[in-house]
Amino acid sequence: MGEYGYECEPELHKTWTSKLICHALPCPCAVTDLSLVRFITAELTRGYFLEHNEAKYTERRERVYTCLRIPKELEKLMTFGFFLCLDAFLYVFTLLPLRVLLALLRLLTVPCCGLSGSRLLQPAQVCDVLKGFIMVLCYSMMSYVDYSMMYHLIRGQSVIKLYIIYNMLEVADRLFSSFGQDILDALYWTATEPKEKKRAHIGVIPHFLMAVLYVFLHAILIMVQATTLNVAFNSHNKSLLTIMMSNNFVEIKGSVFKKFEKNNLFQMSNSDIKERFTNYILLLIVCLRNMEQFSWNPDHLWVLFPDVVMVIASEVAVDVVKHAFITKFNDISADVYGEYRASLAFDLVSSRQKNAYTDYSDSVSRRMGFIPLPLALLLIRVVTSSVKIQGSLSFMCVLLFYLGMITLKVLNSIVLLGTSCGFVKEANMEEKLFDPPPSVASSRANSRAHRTKHVHVSAHQGKTQLLSLSLSKLGKLYVISTPTLPKSDSDTFLTTPDEDNDDKIINADTGLEEEGLKHRTPKKDLLEIDRFTICGNRID
């Protein structure tokens, strides 16, 4: 008999009672006892307990807290990265000219002093002289480019055509940044490579000409970007500016629904830092050009101010929303941005050591894809054409401004160095500062050994797993017993999480996992990620 005195089918009653249904509802076998009043009463009085699935709801709450922490942690990283880019950018205007003068002075004085055994210039000085010559030649070439003619040519185009042009320019800027630093690095290494090594290059002059051509073309590209943005600011209905701002929100659609590991998010974060700093410089150029057209009337600056704030606010909002949803969908903690800051700080601290193998400005270029030479060249071209220097008083103002820039550069470097030392110490990365610089030969040997390594899994008595490693280069065969080792949390610090276990194959005879069919991608340290940052959505 059922609970209400009716005949119940045993199987149906068992199925019904096995489910977590509120006891206010009768057994479905007692159909005649059901009524609308009883059903409504059950719906109004039934209850449930969230603690029965505590882990699920705790995880959902932590996701909400992570999303709320993202704006603060992201802006900390963006602020730190902004001052890193500013330091590298100010270096071109302040210390680089002084270093070039010192190198040229040494080049003139060393032969006169009779120091024939010593090198004329140190490798760093050679790189500085090359940078100085590139800037001088490119500036002389930029002087033949008419900014006003370019402005009116772009202004005569339709809105939709300008929107397409601006998107094409953004893509071209990323491609130029990707290949440009390789061109500059090739020039620096070709000019400073030890002479005893066998020549495997086309010569310093061809590399120098390629570098000059690259910097000039990249500067022209950024000038077209700035001119398009200037046209958008000066349009009457602001339709072009609105379309260009909406393009930032399209970036959310192309990013948040993709798979991101910790390294890929680091790449995209560096790309966002570079993009935000570049946009600030473009806005500065637009304001300078507009103020020149209105005879430096300060009232016009307040006319431009709302549009500038709107562009900056949209950029910040897009970055916050994009990173918040990427971390949510990929289960990435907000603490990862602290690791990113530590990695950027490590570059700054390591560049100040005696065994440093690169200049800090070049390190920023490789890490973020930010190359300051074309942007600095364009800013110099705009300032010199917008500001007229006449009389001794004007030259005195220029000298004071230059001294102020040097002071700002030095103070910024001191604060950044102290802050970076704190970040490196918090991340326990001091021991990495004393590691030797990575060599190309060792990295190639490791990659070649990884490609030629064949793993064969066999089992003895179901207890140990034997790996037969066949190294084709050495021609030796090793049999290594690999027991299962405990894995600590420190193994995953600043590395990409392991891939899914989809490529593991279970042997039906031994019950062991075989990984011989797929080669895993080795874990990459955040310190090894360089210019690929411009491709923020690149998945290894």
Side-chain angles (χ1 to χ4, degrees):
M1 299 289 292
E3 181 182 355
Y4 292 88
Y6 295 91
E7 292 290 340
C8 296
E9 297 182 7
E11 294 297 330
L12 180 60
H13 186 76
K14 182 179 179 181
T15 304
W16 176 259
T17 56
S18 64
K19 298 180 180 179
L20 296 177
I21 304 299
C22 181
H23 294 292
L25 287 176
C27 178
C29 302
V31 181
T32 57
D33 194 58
L34 289 177
S35 65
L36 180 61
V37 176
R38 182 179 294 275
F39 178 80
I40 295 177
T41 303
E43 289 293 318
L44 294 177
T45 58
R46 67 185 178 90
Y48 49 88
F49 301 93
L50 298 181
E51 60 265 22
H52 290 167
N53 201 351
E54 181 179 354
K56 173 184 177 181
Y57 291 106
T58 302
E59 180 184 1
R60 297 295 175 85
R61 184 174 61 185
E62 291 300 325
R63 287 184 179 181
V64 174
Y65 291 165
T66 299
C67 289
L68 294 178
R69 289 179 56 196
I70 288 300
K72 179 182 176 181
E73 298 297 328
L74 177 63
E75 290 307 314
K76 284 183 180 180
L77 176 64
M78 289 290 179
T79 303
F80 183 68
F82 171 81
F83 284 105
L84 292 180
C85 293
L86 179 64
D87 190 69
F89 190 66
L90 290 176
Y91 172 81
V92 180
F93 298 97
T94 56
L95 300 185
L96 181 60
L98 298 179
R99 289 176 63 94
V100 172
L101 291 178
L102 290 177
L104 294 178
L105 183 63
R106 175 183 171 85
L107 188 62
L108 295 176
T109 56
V110 168
C112 298
C113 296
L115 301 176
S116 58
S118 61
R119 303 178 62 172
L120 291 179
L121 293 177
Q122 297 298 323
Q125 293 176 323
V126 173
C127 296
D128 293 334
V129 172
L130 290 175
K131 291 179 183 177
F133 285 162
I134 289 174
M135 292 293 292
V136 171
L137 289 177
C138 291
Y139 178 76
S140 61
M141 296 167 64
M142 287 285 292
S143 60
Y144 293 99
V145 179
D146 192 352
Y147 186 91
S148 301
M149 183 185 68
M150 183 182 297
Y151 175 82
H152 290 289
L153 181 64
I154 294 177
R155 189 176 183 180
Q157 308 299 322
S158 60
V159 174
I160 188 63
K161 186 181 295 186
L162 290 179
Y163 172 71
I164 297 175
I165 292 175
Y166 192 80
N167 288 336
M168 294 173 60
L169 292 175
E170 284 189 345
V171 176
D173 179 59
R174 296 188 178 187
L175 296 178
F176 267 80
S177 300
S178 175
F179 193 60
Q181 189 58 39
D182 289 338
I183 294 177
L184 296 177
D185 287 340
L187 171 64
Y188 301 152
W189 174 241
T190 304
T192 59
E193 187 178 8
K195 302 301 181 182
E196 59 269 13
K197 290 190 175 183
K198 183 179 179 181
R199 175 171 175 172
H201 54 79
I202 59 177
V204 178
I205 295 180
H207 279 284
F208 179 77
L209 295 178
M210 284 192 297
V212 171
L213 181 62
Y214 155 70
V215 174
F216 175 72
L217 293 179
H218 199 174
I220 292 295
L221 187 144
I222 300 176
M223 176 182 284
V224 177
Q225 275 187 296
T227 306
T228 307
L229 189 61
N230 195 7
V231 171
F233 268 73
N234 294 332
S235 59
H236 298 289
N237 54 3
K238 307 292 182 181
S239 59
L240 178 58
L241 184 62
T242 304
I243 294 176
M244 293 168 61
M245 289 175 55
S246 65
N247 189 42
N248 292 332
F249 292 91
V250 177
E251 184 181 354
I252 297 178
K253 177 183 177 182
S255 301
V256 298
F257 299 111
K258 293 184 178 180
K259 178 184 177 182
F260 275 85
E261 299 291 351
K262 200 160 59 171
N263 287 352
N264 304 120
L265 183 59
F266 182 45
Q267 296 172 353
M268 192 183 69
S269 300
N270 288 335
S271 179
D272 291 338
I273 294 172
K274 176 254 180 183
E275 182 180 357
R276 185 177 295 189
F277 183 82
T278 305
N279 288 337
Y280 290 161
I281 301 300
L282 291 179
L283 290 174
L284 176 62
I285 293 174
V286 169
C287 292
L288 288 176
R289 296 298 302 177
N290 279 274
M291 293 297 292
E292 180 199 4
Q293 297 299 323
F294 287 88
S295 302
W296 301 98
N297 185 8
D299 295 335
H300 185 69
L301 185 61
W302 296 106
V303 177
L304 299 173
F305 185 74
D307 295 333
V308 172
V309 172
M310 185 169 55
V311 172
I312 296 176
S314 65
E315 187 73 24
V316 173
V318 167
D319 289 340
V320 169
V321 173
K322 180 174 63 177
H323 283 263
F325 280 97
I326 286 176
T327 53
K328 177 183 181 297
F329 291 152
N330 296 275
D331 292 330
I332 300 176
S333 173
D335 297 331
V336 73
Y337 293 100
E339 300 179 16
Y340 297 161
R341 288 199 307 271
S343 299
L344 296 177
F346 183 86
D347 292 338
L348 177 60
V349 177
S350 60
S351 65
R352 297 296 192 269
Q353 290 187 316
K354 293 182 179 179
N355 62 342
Y357 55 91
T358 183
D359 184 68
Y360 174 67
S361 60
D362 295 329
S363 178
V364 173
S365 301
R366 299 184 189 97
R367 179 76 72 177
M368 300 182 183
F370 171 68
I371 305 178
L373 292 183
L375 198 60
L377 178 65
L378 176 61
L379 186 59
I380 294 174
R381 171 71 174 83
V382 171
V383 170
T384 53
S385 63
S386 302
V387 180
K388 305 300 181 182
I389 302 176
Q390 297 176 352
S392 59
L393 183 59
S394 299
F395 284 100
M396 186 64 65
C397 292
V398 171
L399 179 61
L400 292 177
F401 182 74
Y402 178 71
L403 295 178
M405 290 181 63
I406 293 180
T407 305
L408 178 62
K409 169 67 173 66
V410 173
L411 292 177
N412 186 43
S413 299
I414 293 174
V415 174
L416 279 178
L417 185 59
T419 307
S420 300
C421 291
F423 289 154
V424 172
K425 187 176 181 179
E426 290 177 3
N428 298 322
M429 300 171 64
E430 299 97 326
E431 65 278 0
K432 293 186 178 182
L433 292 173
F434 304 100
D435 294 342
S439 61
V440 179
S442 61
S443 62
R444 287 182 178 177
N446 293 335
S447 61
R448 190 179 294 113
H450 178 74
R451 288 194 302 266
T452 58
K453 180 173 61 178
H454 304 283
V455 181
H456 305 283
V457 181
S458 61
H460 282 292
Q461 300 176 358
K463 294 182 179 180
T464 59
Q465 183 180 2
L466 300 179
L467 300 180
S468 175
L469 303 179
S470 173
L471 301 179
S472 60
K473 186 174 182 179
L474 299 179
K476 297 181 180 180
L477 184 67
Y478 296 91
V479 178
I480 303 174
S481 176
T482 58
T484 303
L485 298 177
K487 189 174 182 180
S488 61
D489 295 336
S490 61
D491 296 335
T492 60
F493 180 72
L494 292 180
T495 56
T496 303
D498 290 345
E499 298 178 3
D500 296 334
N501 296 329
D502 297 336
D503 56 345
K504 292 183 179 181
I505 301 175
I506 306 298
N507 193 320
D509 297 331
T510 61
L512 299 176
E513 295 178 349
E514 297 183 356
E515 300 182 13
L517 297 182
K518 289 188 178 181
H519 296 283
R520 285 181 176 272
T521 303
K523 292 182 179 180
K524 290 185 178 179
D525 196 291
L526 289 180
L527 300 177
E528 299 176 359
I529 301 176
D530 49 10
R531 60 186 176 276
F532 294 109
T533 54
I534 58 168
C535 303
N537 299 328
R538 179 176 178 266
I539 303 298
D540 292 331

